[in-house]
Amino acid sequence: MQPPWWSEYDQPILEFLLDCGAAVPPRVILFNLEYRNIASPHRSTVKRRLERLGQHDFVEKVDEGGYYVISDKGQQYLQGDLDPNEID
């Protein structure tokens, strides 16, 4: 179950962050989504989606330079271990 604020790009972003296991900036996420032919969002869309995912605790911004990692909640979501009532 996805919340009403969810975007088609949120799942691929979370999956990439989980797969890479590193803190990365939006530009790296965008490059890899396009390079792997997963999605082709605009750079501003990736930044906006990361901000929204961060507001809901699915990702964490780890520094002021704009590097992001997937959070425990984001990992739980991808693994199907998150109670739908915990997604606002």
Side-chain angles (χ1 to χ4, degrees):
M1 182 172 151
Q2 296 172 334
W5 55 265
W6 196 261
S7 162
E8 65 182 295
Y9 300 116
D10 294 347
Q11 179 105 8
I13 289 170
L14 290 175
E15 289 173 350
F16 173 75
L17 288 172
L18 181 65
D19 289 345
C20 79
V24 294
R27 182 178 296 225
V28 171
I29 296 169
L30 173 62
F31 174 83
N32 281 282
L33 292 178
E34 291 177 335
Y35 180 74
R36 296 175 180 184
N37 291 320
I38 296 169
S40 294
H42 192 272
R43 184 172 169 206
S44 64
T45 300
V46 172
K47 290 174 80 172
R48 201 170 43 251
R49 297 317 310 158
L50 286 166
E51 289 172 5
R52 179 57 65 101
L53 288 165
Q55 290 170 353
H56 295 279
D57 301 321
F58 284 81
V59 299
E60 297 172 16
K61 189 174 183 180
V62 295
D63 76 354
E64 292 306 312
Y67 283 69
Y68 291 84
V69 295
I70 190 167
S71 68
D72 290 340
K73 184 176 180 180
Q75 291 178 36
Q76 291 172 346
Y77 172 80
L78 290 178
Q79 295 166 352
D81 295 336
L82 188 63
D83 182 340
N85 295 325
E86 294 181 49
I87 303 174
D88 49 4

